Amino acid sequence: MSRKQLALVIDLNICVGCHACVTSCKEWNTSGWAGPMSDTDPYGADPLGVFFNRVQTFEAGEFPLTETIHFPKSCLHCEDPPCVPVCPTGASFKREEDGIVLVDYDKCIGCKYCSWNCPYGVREFDTKQGVMKKCTLCADRIYDETLPEDRRKPACVLACPAGARMFGDISDPASEASQAIRDNAGFQIMPEMGTRPANHYLPRRKTKMVIHDDELMRADNPLLKEGELPRPQLSEPFLDDITSW
Amino acid sequence: MKPAFSVLFLTTLIGMGQGLLIALVAGQFYFVIGTGNEQDSGLFYATGSAAGLALLGLGLIASFFHLTHPERGMRSIVRWRTSWLSREVILLPACMGLAFLYGAAHWFGFAPVLITFGNQKSLDLTMAIGFLLAASCAMLFIATGMIYACVRFVKEWATPMTVINYTLMGLSSGFAAAAIVAAVENALLRDFLAGWAALFTLLAFAAKGVTLWRNKHLPAPFSLKSAIGVHHGSIRQLSQGFNCRSFNTTEFFTRISPEVKPWLIGLMLVFGFAAPSALLLAGWADRYLPALIAALPIQYVGLLTERWLFFASGQHVQNVYYQRKS
Ligand code: SF4
Ligand code: SF4
């Protein structure tokens, strides 16, 4: 774990499913130099468009004991990405310097074979440009020195109003992302697929507070009376070996 | 998975072409190791090679319809170290080039002896090209099959049976095509080719049966537990995040109604295997020409159905995330 690996850490305990990351991702990436994320029939009956990030919603349990889980999903920038070696043109690649998995739109022939080799369903084909697209971790803004330093983060991370998304180098144990994974039992999805996803999720945590009766009622007040206690006799046991009152 | 017609035609046509070319080489070799006195005419081999070349060429054209940027097609050879798709792209033109050389050498009767062995047998140029041709066609079968067999997220495909099926169906239809060429050309190889075509069709039938049985007993393709990492016994999707279509809901799904599916499987088994093997056997044993000729088009309908079902019944792991719109 020495090579740099940028990734997102998404806290499922915080995500409220507002889709702000979805819209800001689309806005940023459709306006960038890589060309639009095409939509067909966007306001019609059968719209079809490219998104890098989607928020899905799941429910666990049986009514009334149910729990709603909002689940944002984008390319996980796997450390062992099965989508990369299968690409015949080399258009799909994993960047050495920061571990981001990218598609070179100028090389892609549109065979879609990479998407078959991703178990997470996060690559989306742009039918207008005829190339495969996916999350770039905002490769075009995280290094942009014209932006103030605290803005050099993926658009989704900046947009999240609840602060459910973190971004950082998970191979650096001191990074905020690594610490969050360590301290909050961060996990990978579908670990059995052997893809070693870089993006991690933080589990839902039950924030219950246990209040015992004696915390509401004073246990050291047997007479249940408030106010000054009766003055002890000199012969009674005392508190500090010096005085009984 | 969604079947793309370009890929259905590509895989069935080149399979038949490879089988046909292997059949020609096998036939030539059969004579060479035999008495050595009999041999079919150069014209027969040249016609057969031309037919094989045409089938591979049609497949190649079909493949271009699958790409959105065919003008960049040449780029697709660069990842040959890791990508079976890349290997297929290299092997297909290699087979076509060798088929052209093989046919041309036979056409012009250009067959200088390269090596003479101790037993008075010799290896001439046409046979040598033939061996190379057969080897590259065999490798192309493996490459085509492996393109699907190595997709480990589609359990129906990720089995050696995929490669075996592609190869056997290619050999079966290819030998049947070669038998037709032999019948038209009145070649001596006709019975040899028809007999092997029938045998390969029966073998392909058996392999398909094994695969159907295997795929019926697959474990569940995915679990929501590991998909979202929530360890709960009862999880369901409430929303996939959008109300209409996306690439992920179109490319990976084909709905076949449960009433239609058995009929399609029946059509595939009868047209693809049972009927052609019976017809080929009739053409082989009784030398009944119409049966021999009818086998191939009937089988082709069956093979297209087979390929369509192959794609349509593949369940991709990613489908776990796209179960419900809202
Ligand atoms: S999530 Fe899918 S597309 Fe992204 S790196 Fe992993 S396998 Fe490739
Ligand atoms: S669609 Fe493009 S990026 Fe994907 S495998 Fe084909 S050429 Fe590579």
Side-chain angles (χ1 to χ4, degrees), chain B residues 29-227:
Chain B
F29 187 55
Y30 169 70
F31 282 136
V32 169
I33 56 170
T35 57
N37 300 329
E38 289 179 318
Q39 187 53 279
D40 267 319
S41 65
L43 180 65
F44 162 69
Y45 289 105
T47 319
S49 307
L53 196 55
L55 288 168
L56 295 181
L58 285 174
L60 187 66
I61 293 170
S63 77
F64 279 117
F65 283 97
H66 183 59
L67 304 180
T68 43
H69 285 288
E71 77 282 0
R72 301 174 185 163
M74 272 309 285
R75 283 191 186 278
S76 57
I77 59 174
V78 305
R79 279 266 180 84
W80 58 273
R81 284 167 199 274
T82 57
S83 171
W84 285 104
L85 188 50
S86 207
R87 291 173 198 158
E88 183 186 49
V89 171
I90 295 169
L91 283 166
L92 180 52
C95 287
M96 292 176 74
L98 286 167
F100 176 78
L101 291 179
Y102 183 69
H106 271 295
W107 173 263
F108 293 110
F110 182 62
V113 171
L114 301 179
I115 311 171
T116 308
F117 299 102
N119 58 0
Q120 303 312 313
K121 303 273 178 207
S122 58
L123 175 73
D124 68 15
L125 184 67
T126 54
M127 195 71 254
I129 302 177
F131 286 145
L132 287 177
L133 173 61
S136 44
C137 286
M139 287 195 291
L140 183 51
F141 272 131
I142 295 174
T144 312
M146 280 307 289
I147 288 177
Y148 305 97
C150 78
V151 180
R152 61 183 198 265
F153 309 121
V154 181
K155 287 214 178 85
E156 287 83 352
W157 297 357
T159 157
M161 289 312 293
T162 302
V163 180
I164 294 173
N165 284 329
Y166 270 78
T167 309
L168 285 176
M169 284 185 267
L171 288 175
S172 137
S173 56
F175 271 72
I180 294 181
V181 177
V184 172
E185 293 280 329
N186 245 331
L188 300 168
L189 275 174
R190 187 193 124 141
D191 290 344
F192 169 86
L193 294 171
W196 278 98
L199 186 64
F200 281 129
T201 312
L202 289 171
L203 284 175
F205 199 179
K208 191 72 215 179
V210 171
T211 314
L212 283 176
W213 181 84
R214 170 196 180 267
N215 288 355
K216 237 190 152 81
H217 297 88
L218 283 177
F222 33 64
S223 103
L224 265 175
K225 266 192 211 177
S226 84

